[in-house]
């Protein structure tokens, strides 16, 4: 083999290794994105509508049900993972959202004076989105 090609061959091997690493990152990105999509779908199609219904509920179990759904919503938001390879600062914003105790911003059932107050808070959540979902899936 021609000795003048050895540096070129070595360079190509290094580039092959770099490409493999980038392909692994893209694979991880896709897996995490798909998991987040499933979780976000559950938040939007399941948890938020349930919370909306529970906001207007009255009765012996209404408070416990509302608070449990709100806690599940917060847990779901906090379980989302950052999914970008490109945006600077997203990791820091994601850590902040995930560290927050109440990323949905919805208080306890008893913290609202009336059904319209509770329903209004959930309505604002529906209208503006969940910040944690926006940050992490953004």
């Amino acid at each position: 083999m021609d000795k003048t090609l050895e540096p070129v061959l070595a360079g190509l091997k290094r580039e092959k290794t770099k490409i493999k690493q980038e392909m692994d990152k893209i694979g991880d990105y896709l897996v995490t994105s798909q998991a987040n999509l499933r979780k976000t779908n559950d938040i939007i199609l399941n948890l938020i509508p349930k919370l909306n219904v529970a906001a207007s509920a009255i009765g012996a179990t209404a408070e416990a049900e509302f608070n449990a759904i709100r806690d599940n919503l917060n847990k779901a938001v906090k379980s989302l993972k950052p999914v970008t390879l490109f945006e600077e600062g997203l990791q820091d914003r994601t850590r902040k959202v995930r560290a927050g105790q109440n990323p949905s911003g919805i208080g306890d059932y008893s913290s609202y004076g009336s059904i319209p107050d509770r329903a209004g808070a959930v309505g604002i959540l529906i209208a503006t989105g969940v910040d944690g979902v926006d940050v992490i899936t953004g």
Side-chain angles (χ1 to χ4, degrees):
M1 179 166 92
D2 185 354
K3 295 285 185 189
T4 60
L5 294 178
E6 285 180 6
V8 173
L9 186 56
L12 289 173
K13 286 180 181 178
R14 282 191 302 276
E15 290 303 313
K16 180 182 174 186
T17 300
K18 287 180 188 176
I19 289 171
K20 167 97 172 72
Q21 291 169 343
E22 292 302 313
M23 288 177 63
D24 290 345
K25 288 179 187 176
I26 291 170
D28 291 345
Y29 170 85
L30 291 173
V31 168
T32 303
S33 294
Q34 290 169 346
N36 277 354
L37 201 54
R38 285 189 300 277
K39 290 175 185 178
T40 303
N41 218 18
D42 184 52
I43 290 168
I44 293 168
L45 299 177
N46 185 21
L47 293 172
I48 291 177
K50 281 183 179 178
L51 187 65
N52 194 34
V53 170
S56 298
I58 54 174
T61 61
E63 182 172 357
E65 288 175 17
F66 179 88
N67 291 341
I69 294 167
R70 189 269 329 264
D71 292 346
N72 286 338
L73 172 61
N74 285 332
K75 198 179 302 179
V77 170
K78 290 172 74 165
S79 75
L80 296 170
K81 305 276 191 268
V83 294
T84 185
L85 297 172
F86 312 106
E87 186 179 338
E88 293 295 323
L90 185 66
Q91 296 282 345
D92 292 335
R93 292 198 319 251
T94 300
R95 278 189 211 96
K96 184 177 179 183
V97 167
R98 293 183 71 200
Q101 295 302 311
N102 187 10
S104 70
I106 299 294
D108 286 336
Y109 182 94
S110 62
S111 68
Y112 299 102
S114 66
I115 290 174
D117 291 342
R118 255 189 320 280
V122 176
I124 290 170
L125 172 70
I126 292 168
T128 60
V130 180
D131 186 55
V133 174
D134 295 342
V135 167
I136 296 170
T137 62

